[in-house]
Short mmCIF file of all heavy atoms in Angstrom, two decimals:
data_model
loop_
_atom_site.label_atom_id
_atom_site.label_comp_id
_atom_site.label_asym_id
_atom_site.label_seq_id
_atom_site.Cartn_x
_atom_site.Cartn_y
_atom_site.Cartn_z
N ARG A 630 12.24 1.31 -10.66
CA ARG A 630 12.70 2.53 -11.30
C ARG A 630 14.16 2.38 -11.73
O ARG A 630 14.93 1.62 -11.11
CB ARG A 630 12.55 3.72 -10.35
CG ARG A 630 11.10 4.10 -10.11
CD ARG A 630 11.00 5.41 -9.33
NE ARG A 630 11.57 6.51 -10.09
CZ ARG A 630 11.77 7.73 -9.60
NH1 ARG A 630 11.44 8.00 -8.35
NH2 ARG A 630 12.29 8.68 -10.35
N PRO A 631 14.59 3.09 -12.77
CA PRO A 631 15.98 2.99 -13.23
C PRO A 631 16.97 3.30 -12.11
O PRO A 631 16.82 4.27 -11.37
CB PRO A 631 16.06 4.04 -14.34
CG PRO A 631 14.66 4.18 -14.83
CD PRO A 631 13.79 4.00 -13.62
N GLY A 632 17.97 2.44 -12.00
CA GLY A 632 19.05 2.65 -11.04
C GLY A 632 18.85 1.98 -9.69
O GLY A 632 19.80 1.80 -8.94
N ILE A 633 17.61 1.59 -9.37
CA ILE A 633 17.34 1.01 -8.06
C ILE A 633 18.00 -0.35 -7.89
O ILE A 633 18.68 -0.61 -6.88
CB ILE A 633 15.82 0.91 -7.80
CG1 ILE A 633 15.24 2.30 -7.53
CG2 ILE A 633 15.52 -0.04 -6.65
CD1 ILE A 633 15.69 2.92 -6.22
N ALA A 634 17.81 -1.25 -8.84
CA ALA A 634 18.37 -2.60 -8.71
C ALA A 634 19.90 -2.53 -8.58
O ALA A 634 20.48 -3.22 -7.73
CB ALA A 634 17.97 -3.46 -9.90
N ALA A 635 20.54 -1.72 -9.40
CA ALA A 635 22.00 -1.60 -9.36
C ALA A 635 22.48 -1.00 -8.04
O ALA A 635 23.49 -1.44 -7.48
CB ALA A 635 22.49 -0.76 -10.53
N LEU A 636 21.75 -0.01 -7.53
CA LEU A 636 22.14 0.63 -6.28
C LEU A 636 22.04 -0.34 -5.11
O LEU A 636 22.95 -0.42 -4.26
CB LEU A 636 21.27 1.86 -6.03
CG LEU A 636 21.56 2.68 -4.77
CD1 LEU A 636 22.99 3.18 -4.76
CD2 LEU A 636 20.58 3.84 -4.68
N LEU A 637 20.95 -1.10 -5.04
CA LEU A 637 20.82 -2.07 -3.95
C LEU A 637 21.86 -3.17 -4.05
O LEU A 637 22.43 -3.59 -3.03
CB LEU A 637 19.40 -2.67 -3.95
CG LEU A 637 18.39 -1.95 -3.06
CD1 LEU A 637 18.10 -0.53 -3.56
CD2 LEU A 637 17.08 -2.74 -2.97
N ALA A 638 22.13 -3.63 -5.27
CA ALA A 638 23.12 -4.68 -5.45
C ALA A 638 24.51 -4.20 -5.04
O ALA A 638 25.27 -4.92 -4.37
CB ALA A 638 23.13 -5.15 -6.90
N GLU A 639 24.86 -2.97 -5.42
CA GLU A 639 26.17 -2.44 -5.05
C GLU A 639 26.27 -2.23 -3.55
O GLU A 639 27.30 -2.51 -2.93
CB GLU A 639 26.46 -1.13 -5.77
CG GLU A 639 27.85 -0.60 -5.48
CD GLU A 639 28.15 0.74 -6.11
OE1 GLU A 639 27.26 1.33 -6.76
OE2 GLU A 639 29.30 1.22 -5.94
N ALA A 640 25.19 -1.75 -2.95
CA ALA A 640 25.19 -1.54 -1.50
C ALA A 640 25.47 -2.85 -0.76
O ALA A 640 26.28 -2.90 0.17
CB ALA A 640 23.85 -0.95 -1.05
N ARG A 641 24.82 -3.92 -1.19
CA ARG A 641 25.08 -5.22 -0.56
C ARG A 641 26.52 -5.65 -0.78
O ARG A 641 27.17 -6.18 0.14
CB ARG A 641 24.14 -6.29 -1.15
CG ARG A 641 22.70 -6.14 -0.75
CD ARG A 641 21.90 -7.38 -1.16
NE ARG A 641 20.48 -7.06 -1.19
CZ ARG A 641 19.82 -6.68 -2.27
NH1 ARG A 641 20.45 -6.58 -3.44
NH2 ARG A 641 18.53 -6.40 -2.20
N ARG A 642 27.03 -5.41 -1.97
CA ARG A 642 28.39 -5.85 -2.32
C ARG A 642 29.44 -5.17 -1.45
O ARG A 642 30.45 -5.79 -1.09
CB ARG A 642 28.63 -5.58 -3.80
CG ARG A 642 29.85 -6.25 -4.39
CD ARG A 642 29.81 -6.29 -5.90
NE ARG A 642 29.69 -4.97 -6.51
CZ ARG A 642 28.62 -4.53 -7.16
NH1 ARG A 642 27.57 -5.31 -7.30
NH2 ARG A 642 28.61 -3.33 -7.70
N VAL A 643 29.20 -3.91 -1.11
CA VAL A 643 30.20 -3.18 -0.31
C VAL A 643 29.88 -3.23 1.20
O VAL A 643 30.56 -2.60 2.00
CB VAL A 643 30.33 -1.72 -0.77
CG1 VAL A 643 30.75 -1.66 -2.22
CG2 VAL A 643 29.05 -0.93 -0.53
N GLY A 644 28.85 -4.00 1.57
CA GLY A 644 28.59 -4.22 2.97
C GLY A 644 27.67 -3.22 3.65
O GLY A 644 27.59 -3.19 4.89
N LEU A 645 26.95 -2.41 2.87
CA LEU A 645 25.98 -1.51 3.48
C LEU A 645 24.70 -2.26 3.82
O LEU A 645 24.29 -3.17 3.10
CB LEU A 645 25.65 -0.35 2.52
CG LEU A 645 26.77 0.64 2.25
CD1 LEU A 645 26.32 1.68 1.23
CD2 LEU A 645 27.23 1.32 3.52
#
Side-chain angles (χ1 to χ4, degrees):
R630 290 189 63 189
I633 286 292
L636 181 58
L637 268 66
E639 184 184 2
R641 289 191 199 94
R642 193 163 57 248
V643 301
L645 292 177

